[in-house]
């Protein structure tokens, strides 16, 4: 079975540019999560969706970050404009229900220079 | 106080050693608990769930102590391949649903 699929795997961009990260959750999973991981702050939950509806976006750092889930098989996390402090690994994850095992994608490694 | 606290380590142990990690949590409403493993430059993956009665999976044993609000992971007969970061994870249901990840404990197993 296909796992959570993320793209791009790696991105290097210049400060001020727009970054769009994409995610395809595991088929049949109703919950989707976006996490950010850095050495300093560890793994942080940015936002999660249940049945395509954003439930908790309190972890989104600021207005430069936005996330959408237009259908059950696709989600995006957008950063506009990007800043060097946004450099991190961004993980998308999904689970069958809100309290079920969370499965992570391989991550999108973002570097903003 | 952080919702989940782990000793960051690193723990450096020889092959064959037994090593134990603890994780404390502050929210008594926490309902389910897990240990995840994360290899260097990889995504976190579920290692095992943690049940109230304690559970074992091969060389790995997980325990939950609700009274003292901690969970533990014991690894027996450590292998080089056990070198990774181990993340304590819990689900809180009080005031809505939330999954909390600990910062992780790094383990290095040496030959």
């Amino acid at each position: 079975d296909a796992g959570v699929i993320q793209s791009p795997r790696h991105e290097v961009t210049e400060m001020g540019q727009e970054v769009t990260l994409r995610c395809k959750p595991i088929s049949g999973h109703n919950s989707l999560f976006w996490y950010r991981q850095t050495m300093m702050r560890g793994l942080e939950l940015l936002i999660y969706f249940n049945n395509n509806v954003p439930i908790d976006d309190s972890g989104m750092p600021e207005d430069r970050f936005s996330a959408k889930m237009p259908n059950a098989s696709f989600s995006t996390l957008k950063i506009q404009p990007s800043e060097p402090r946004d450099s991190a690994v961004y993980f998308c994850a999904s689970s069958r229900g809100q309290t079920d095992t969370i499965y992570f994608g391989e991550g999108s490694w973002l570097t903003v220079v | 106080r952080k919702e989940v606290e782990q000793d960051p380590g690193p723990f450096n142990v020889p092959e064959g050693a037994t090593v134990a990690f603890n994780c404390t949590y502050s929210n008594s409403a926490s309902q389910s608990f897990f240990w995840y493993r994360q290899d260097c430059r990889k995504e976190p993956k579920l290692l095992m769930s943690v049940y109230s009665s304690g559970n074992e999976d091969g060389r790995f044993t997980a325990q939950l102590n609700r009274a003292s609000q901690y969970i533990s992971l014991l690894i027996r007969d450590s292998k080089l391949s056990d070198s990774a970061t181990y993340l304590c994870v819990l689900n809180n249901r009080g005031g809505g649903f939330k999954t909390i990840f600990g910062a992780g404990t790094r383990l290095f197993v040496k030959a």
Side-chain angles (χ1 to χ4, degrees):
Chain A
D1 287 344
V4 177
I5 299 172
Q6 292 187 243
S7 66
R9 290 294 316 281
H10 297 89
E11 178 149 349
V12 180
T13 191
E14 290 185 347
M15 183 173 62
Q17 296 298 306
E18 178 179 291
V19 173
T20 300
L21 308 178
R22 297 174 176 81
C23 175
K24 176 179 168 53
I26 294 172
S27 178
H29 282 194
N30 297 319
S31 295
L32 182 140
F33 309 83
W34 282 102
Y35 287 90
R36 177 172 70 176
Q37 188 173 41
T38 61
M39 287 293 291
M40 293 298 294
R41 300 173 69 91
L43 197 62
E44 302 173 278
L45 176 65
L46 300 178
I47 185 172
Y48 84 90
F49 296 83
N50 195 47
N51 294 321
N52 312 339
V53 176
I55 302 300
D56 182 356
D57 65 354
S58 59
M60 296 286 264
E62 47 197 275
D63 292 345
R64 298 184 296 107
F65 286 69
S66 62
K68 293 182 179 179
M69 191 166 186
N71 58 62
S73 59
F74 183 67
S75 177
T76 59
L77 177 68
K78 189 172 292 188
I79 308 172
Q80 167 64 19
S82 58
E83 297 182 2
R85 59 191 169 124
D86 301 331
S87 298
V89 185
Y90 290 82
F91 288 108
C92 178
S94 71
S95 64
R96 193 169 298 279
Q98 292 184 76
T99 59
D100 293 316
T101 300
I102 294 176
Y103 296 88
F104 286 80
E106 293 183 312
S108 292
W109 295 72
L110 174 65
T111 302
V112 183
V113 297
Chain B
R1 183 183 173 187
K2 289 184 179 178
E3 290 188 82
V4 178
E5 296 210 52
Q6 293 185 251
D7 182 342
F11 284 65
N12 294 288
V13 303
E15 269 187 298
T18 295
V19 61
F21 311 133
N22 280 342
C23 166
T24 58
Y25 60 94
S26 59
N27 187 342
S28 59
S30 299
Q31 297 214 338
S32 50
F33 306 85
F34 310 88
W35 283 101
Y36 274 66
R37 169 192 169 130
Q38 186 172 22
D39 292 296
C40 186
R41 301 183 69 80
K42 297 288 189 180
E43 73 274 22
K45 293 183 179 179
L46 177 69
L47 178 64
M48 59 197 303
S49 301
V50 186
Y51 303 120
S52 296
S53 55
N55 49 299
E56 191 172 304
D57 183 2
R59 298 180 293 108
F60 298 83
T61 300
Q63 297 275 357
L64 166 63
N65 186 318
R66 285 193 183 272
S68 300
Q69 295 186 200
Y70 76 85
I71 67 172
S72 64
L73 177 67
L74 182 77
I75 306 175
R76 291 181 299 277
D77 189 22
S78 300
K79 311 292 184 190
L80 294 176
S81 58
D82 294 334
S83 297
T85 297
Y86 292 84
L87 305 168
C88 165
V89 183
L90 52 88
N91 283 336
N92 288 343
R93 286 208 195 180
F97 159 77
K98 199 169 184 181
T99 296
I100 311 293
F101 280 79
T105 298
R106 296 184 70 187
L107 172 66
F108 293 103
V109 181
K110 309 167 294 184

